[in-house]
Amino acid sequence: MTTLSTGDLAAQHETARADYAALVERGLSLDLTRGKPAPEQLDLAGALLTLPGDTYRSADGTDLRNYGGLHGLPEVRALFSGFLQVPVDQLIALGNSSLELMHDALVHSMLSPLPGAERRWVDEPAVAFLCPVPGYDRHFALCQRFGIEMIPVPMTADGPDMDVVEDLVRTDGRIKGIWCVPKYSNPDGAIYSDETVRRLASMPTAAPDFRIFWDNAYAVHHLTDTEYEIADLLALAAEHGNADRPFIFGSTSKITFAGGGVSFFGSSPANLKWLLALVAKRTIGPDKINQLRHAALLKDADGVRAHMRAHRELLKPKFDAVDRILTEQLDGTGLAHWGKPKGGYFVSLDVLEGCARRVVSLAAGAGIALTPAGATYPNGNDPQDRNIRIAPTFATLAEVEGAIEGLAICVRLAATEKFTA
Amino acid sequence: MTTLSTGDLAAQHETARADYAALVERGLSLDLTRGKPAPEQLDLAGALLTLPGDTYRSADGTDLRNYGGLHGLPEVRALFSGFLQVPVDQLIALGNSSLELMHDALVHSMLSPLPGAERRWVDEPAVAFLCPVPGYDRHFALCQRFGIEMIPVPMTADGPDMDVVEDLVRTDGRIKGIWCVPKYSNPDGAIYSDETVRRLASMPTAAPDFRIFWDNAYAVHHLTDTEYEIADLLALAAEHGNADRPFIFGSTSKITFAGGGVSFFGSSPANLKWLLALVAKRTIGPDKINQLRHAALLKDADGVRAHMRAHRELLKPKFDAVDRILTEQLDGTGLAHWGKPKGGYFVSLDVLEGCARRVVSLAAGAGIALTPAGATYPNGNDPQDRNIRIAPTFATLAEVEGAIEGLAICVRLAATEKFTA
């Protein structure tokens, strides 16, 4: 488990204590809590501040300033159709947040029977979702809000452990869904393998209205030269007779302006018909002018790719710094393991069992704000108290370096405390 | 009921038939169905197409491009605080549609107990809303969507018939709310009297979680020199110990871009706390850049007033034409009565009992699209089949004139049919 030998443990503990005291002395104030883009990333979309300029019409001549257009602007739907692996006529473009769309998909499932459902979820004796862990705290918060039981499933490098998933959904009809971030997963950076996607698409489920909440938040957010692709869930599900299973979500939140982007929902024709009939009661249409701004800024698929390469230039040094410093400070100690994500917004750090809360608390004491330990597990409960999510995007490179150096000290101190306790 | 004498009825019927045949011959294609702004009105907010320009910060220095700011931009909240009669710290600014906010207020009330509630509405044996009629079809559609029973209440020139309202809510605990468009009401243009507002604020209700859905959609949408004011519901409710009763909604949909505006929700501190805790699960914040655009365009309360006077210049000739032509064609016949709204977006036309559907059908046959008869009543059911909503804003003045001339012919034909049948 650890390379610390009892012999030098006391000495190492003293060193860690001294290092930590010096760290506190520095009076840092650094924040690696949330996956927010840095100002320089937002600058890349600065043209949005004066777009769309003198035009307000879609390619088909529609006046986008007025009411209407429930499906969203065709041009912006076409722009993301390929990246999200959803045919354009099955993809709708909406407001500034895909989290909203996930929330509302749950609301509508609670209050109106889904295609294939026996009843609306609010009339079920119990509803449960599978939650691959570590995962995204805001997904878990939605389950909590709607009284949906969360069943953790371990993540692997290829996505959720499919043996466990298949076993659970085959027999337990309460299980109505699973949360998936299929590419550059939050927080562990996993890329779902083709086999995982195929098994998700084809597995038998006891619930006739089982849905995969496919939060493809990082579809184009590459950190390497390789633009990783995943298998086409929507097509595979249809091939296996489960066309209505996927709910696909995406957004430009980490492409253009985090607070002023465009979100997307894609699914089968039957699901889309169901959803749009409900959405039509809620709104006369999304902000199509903002969608036009996005189409004008990004232009086409190559425009999106070029834009994301510019993001990568800004982000890669920060992710490299995290890995370099953790390697320098902790590699070979056995005190920590961390991911080397090929994309996305996070680095997942596993420390010694029972130490994550202590590490986060020590870091806070040194002015380094980290995502609360446990946040990557349902109900904030990491049963092994091991996982810490590092979000290096918003801080400056110097801040990231300072915070990770401090974090490494906290990891060493928490570990030596554990063994000297 | 009518000035038609049996003597000349056959002759009048023949004249109406001939006029209608000539109308059909003209092959019109006119649309007075929905309350949409005309393109010239949207042009008034044309600067939004290049705003906010080179700034993306709020007055307090916040980078509005990024996540956050659940309450919305303070500047745009301050801008509408006075018009909506909600203190700025009790007013939040959200997305592009107040209909969404009404929908979501219902969702949250269905799924989470309101302040003062015994249980969430989905666990009530039945939930009912009072629906002043004629009223707004999209309000009724929301009730339908959530299985909320609709109880019609007659409108008067001073708002809903408060004797009826007070009687119902005092004894019937199923009644959880009432829909109100308090100023320039949709469709009849009523302006709630101070006494109506006071009685709404103070009346005893059997339901402890009774809410007034106060859709102040036309707060600044004056058609005359008088900027009518209504009593302050939120303050009156608090004075009478019913602070949590009002849910106040507003938007810029008919001020700037109908599809790209800003919406508002105002209420008591307790309601706001309840709502924001739920909204925080759904979103990390609204599109604050679009809110900044609106603050930059409209600047201050005087800016809003000047902007609305420019709308009035465009709208008044259309409303005048409706009244002038209906007066020329139908005044003194007893075949129709219509409102003379002092603001808002509609003219409410009452025809002879049992004739509204026929009039709308005849108009459709002559290429004049009208809002379906019955739309202003719950479940599309106008028990007297009398009311027709005229929406003259979107069409050009010439189109409005042509459509109302045709409509008058249809009213005459339907009436003479009724008496010769």
Side-chain angles (χ1 to χ4, degrees):
Chain A
M1 191 69 184
T2 165
T3 59
L4 287 174
S5 68
T6 13
D8 57 6
L9 188 58
Q12 293 204 22
H13 185 48
E14 275 318 300
T15 307
R17 280 174 53 135
D19 290 349
Y20 182 70
L23 178 67
V24 171
E25 198 64 29
R26 289 175 61 194
L28 298 177
S29 176
L30 302 172
D31 190 332
L32 299 189
T33 54
R34 290 233 72 98
K36 289 167 65 167
E40 307 78 53
Q41 292 179 264
L42 300 169
D43 289 343
L44 298 174
L48 289 179
L49 297 172
T50 51
L51 283 171
D54 55 4
T55 178
Y56 51 77
R57 293 193 186 277
S58 62
D60 70 3
T62 304
D63 184 342
L64 301 172
R65 302 170 301 178
N66 221 322
Y67 289 117
L70 200 60
H71 293 72
L73 180 70
E75 291 89 310
V76 82
R77 291 158 56 207
L79 190 55
F80 281 88
S81 167
F83 294 119
L84 293 173
Q85 300 168 297
V86 180
V88 66
D89 57 338
Q90 289 170 238
L91 187 69
I92 58 177
L94 296 113
N96 78 323
S97 150
S98 58
L99 184 66
E100 291 181 354
L101 306 188
M102 298 175 220
H103 174 282
D104 291 359
L106 289 172
V107 162
H108 296 314
S109 305
M110 296 296 286
L111 296 175
S112 293
L114 279 161
E118 288 157 354
R119 58 187 78 86
R120 44 187 210 153
W121 289 359
V122 85
D123 295 325
E124 294 280 354
V127 173
F129 263 53
L130 298 185
C131 298
V133 289
Y136 180 32
D137 55 352
R138 290 190 189 271
H139 291 164
F140 306 151
L142 287 180
C143 281
Q144 273 185 312
R145 187 260 177 276
F146 296 112
I148 296 172
E149 187 190 334
M150 292 177 270
I151 301 173
V153 170
M155 279 292 285
T156 75
D158 290 328
D161 184 325
M162 285 307 301
D163 292 342
V164 176
V165 170
E166 287 170 344
D167 231 40
L168 286 166
V169 299
R170 187 174 49 240
T171 52
D172 189 344
R174 295 174 312 152
I175 301 175
K176 298 292 191 184
I178 182 171
W179 291 109
C180 295
V181 183
K183 194 192 280 191
Y184 311 137
S185 193
N186 175 355
D188 58 3
I191 303 166
Y192 283 28
S193 71
D194 291 354
E195 179 66 4
T196 297
V197 180
R198 191 195 58 73
R199 289 172 74 177
L200 284 166
S202 60
M203 65 190 180
T205 65
D209 50 351
F210 181 86
R211 292 292 182 276
I212 298 171
F213 279 60
W214 197 249
D215 182 3
N216 204 351
Y218 309 106
V220 294
H221 304 61
H222 315 289
L223 285 168
T224 76
D225 285 333
T226 306
E227 300 184 347
Y228 286 89
E229 295 195 5
I230 55 173
D232 182 339
L233 177 70
L234 199 58
L236 285 168
E239 270 172 39
H240 286 89
N242 299 315
D244 296 338
R245 183 172 292 179
F247 276 177
I248 293 178
F249 303 94
S251 83
T252 67
S253 293
K254 293 181 179 89
I255 298 175
T256 60
F257 289 167
V262 178
S263 60
F264 299 93
F265 174 82
S267 199
S268 68
N271 281 339
L272 216 61
K273 187 180 167 194
W274 171 84
L275 187 82
L276 283 171
L278 299 170
V279 169
K281 307 286 188 193
R282 186 176 179 271
T283 179
I284 314 177
D287 183 348
K288 302 172 300 299
I289 291 287
N290 202 38
Q291 298 181 351
L292 183 65
R293 279 183 197 104
H294 280 73
L297 175 78
L298 298 168
K299 293 188 174 65
D300 54 25
D302 282 340
V304 173
R305 286 194 190 93
H307 194 86
M308 295 315 295
R309 282 194 295 273
H311 277 288
R312 194 184 77 193
E313 294 301 310
L314 295 167
L315 288 177
K316 192 162 189 311
K318 298 179 183 178
F319 281 84
D320 286 350
V322 172
D323 188 56
R324 187 188 73 244
I325 295 165
L326 289 178
T327 301
E328 285 166 7
Q329 302 291 322
L330 297 171
D331 193 37
T333 64
L335 302 184
H337 296 94
W338 58 95
K340 298 172 193 298
K342 306 287 194 296
Y345 259 57
F346 303 102
V347 177
S348 182
L349 172 71
D350 280 329
V351 296
L352 295 186
E353 193 169 331
C355 286
R357 273 173 219 281
R358 179 63 180 154
V359 168
V360 171
S361 160
L362 285 169
I368 302 167
L370 296 170
T371 306
T376 54
Y377 282 74
N379 302 311
N381 177 28
D382 173 0
Q384 296 188 291
D385 187 23
R386 269 170 43 121
N387 188 248
I388 296 171
R389 186 183 81 166
I390 300 173
T393 57
F394 183 73
T396 65
L397 179 57
E399 288 169 341
V400 170
E401 290 171 339
I404 301 299
E405 283 162 9
L407 173 60
I409 292 169
C410 298
V411 170
R412 281 197 287 119
L413 179 55
T416 56
E417 279 176 355
K418 174 182 160 98
F419 289 112
T420 55
Chain B
M1 193 68 185
T2 165
T3 60
L4 287 176
S5 68
T6 14
D8 57 5
L9 187 59
Q12 294 205 24
H13 185 47
E14 274 317 301
T15 305
R17 280 174 54 137
D19 289 349
Y20 183 70
L23 178 68
V24 171
E25 198 64 28
R26 289 175 62 192
L28 298 176
S29 176
L30 303 172
D31 190 330
L32 300 188
T33 54
R34 289 232 74 96
K36 291 167 64 170
E40 306 78 50
Q41 292 178 264
L42 300 168
D43 289 343
L44 298 173
L48 289 178
L49 297 171
T50 51
L51 284 170
D54 55 5
T55 177
Y56 50 78
R57 292 193 188 279
S58 62
D60 71 3
T62 305
D63 184 341
L64 301 172
R65 302 170 302 178
N66 222 321
Y67 290 117
L70 200 59
H71 291 72
L73 181 69
E75 291 88 312
V76 83
R77 292 160 56 208
L79 190 54
F80 281 89
S81 167
F83 294 119
L84 294 173
Q85 301 169 294
V86 180
V88 65
D89 57 339
Q90 288 170 238
L91 186 69
I92 58 177
L94 297 114
N96 78 324
S97 151
S98 58
L99 184 67
E100 290 181 356
L101 306 188
M102 297 176 220
H103 175 282
D104 291 0
L106 288 173
V107 162
H108 296 314
S109 304
M110 295 296 287
L111 296 175
S112 292
L114 279 161
E118 285 157 356
R119 58 188 77 85
R120 43 184 212 157
W121 290 358
V122 85
D123 295 326
E124 294 280 356
V127 173
F129 263 54
L130 297 186
C131 298
V133 289
Y136 180 31
D137 55 350
R138 291 190 188 272
H139 291 163
F140 305 151
L142 287 180
C143 282
Q144 273 186 312
R145 187 260 176 278
F146 295 111
I148 296 172
E149 186 190 335
M150 292 178 269
I151 301 174
V153 170
M155 279 292 285
T156 75
D158 289 330
D161 184 326
M162 286 307 299
D163 291 342
V164 176
V165 170
E166 286 171 345
D167 231 39
L168 286 166
V169 300
R170 187 175 49 240
T171 52
D172 188 343
R174 296 172 312 152
I175 301 174
K176 296 294 191 184
I178 182 171
W179 291 109
C180 296
V181 182
K183 193 193 281 192
Y184 311 138
S185 193
N186 176 353
D188 57 3
I191 303 166
Y192 283 28
S193 70
D194 291 356
E195 179 65 4
T196 297
V197 180
R198 191 195 59 72
R199 288 171 75 177
L200 284 165
S202 61
M203 64 190 181
T205 65
D209 50 352
F210 181 86
R211 292 293 183 275
I212 297 170
F213 278 61
W214 198 249
D215 182 3
N216 204 352
Y218 308 106
V220 294
H221 304 60
H222 315 289
L223 284 170
T224 74
D225 284 334
T226 307
E227 299 184 348
Y228 285 87
E229 295 195 6
I230 54 173
D232 182 339
L233 177 71
L234 199 59
L236 284 168
E239 270 172 37
H240 286 90
N242 299 315
D244 295 338
R245 183 173 291 181
F247 276 177
I248 293 176
F249 303 95
S251 83
T252 67
S253 293
K254 293 182 180 86
I255 298 174
T256 60
F257 290 168
V262 178
S263 61
F264 300 92
F265 174 83
S267 199
S268 68
N271 282 339
L272 216 60
K273 185 179 169 195
W274 171 83
L275 186 82
L276 283 170
L278 299 170
V279 169
K281 307 287 188 192
R282 185 176 179 271
T283 179
I284 313 177
D287 182 348
K288 302 173 299 301
I289 291 287
N290 202 39
Q291 298 181 351
L292 183 64
R293 279 184 198 104
H294 279 73
L297 175 77
L298 298 168
K299 293 189 173 67
D300 55 24
D302 282 339
V304 173
R305 285 195 190 93
H307 193 85
M308 295 315 294
R309 281 194 295 273
H311 277 288
R312 195 184 76 191
E313 294 300 312
L314 295 167
L315 289 177
K316 193 162 187 312
K318 298 180 184 179
F319 281 83
D320 287 349
V322 172
D323 188 55
R324 189 188 71 243
I325 295 165
L326 290 178
T327 301
E328 285 166 7
Q329 302 291 322
L330 298 171
D331 193 37
T333 65
L335 301 184
H337 296 94
W338 58 94
K340 297 171 191 300
K342 305 287 196 296
Y345 258 56
F346 302 103
V347 177
S348 183
L349 172 70
D350 281 329
V351 296
L352 294 187
E353 194 169 331
C355 285
R357 272 172 221 281
R358 179 63 181 155
V359 168
V360 171
S361 160
L362 285 169
I368 302 167
L370 297 170
T371 306
T376 53
Y377 281 74
N379 303 310
N381 177 29
D382 173 0
Q384 296 188 290
D385 188 22
R386 269 171 44 121
N387 189 247
I388 296 171
R389 186 183 81 167
I390 300 172
T393 57
F394 183 71
T396 64
L397 178 57
E399 288 169 341
V400 170
E401 289 171 339
I404 300 300
E405 283 162 9
L407 173 59
I409 292 169
C410 298
V411 170
R412 281 195 289 121
L413 179 55
T416 55
E417 280 176 355
K418 175 182 159 99
F419 288 113
T420 55

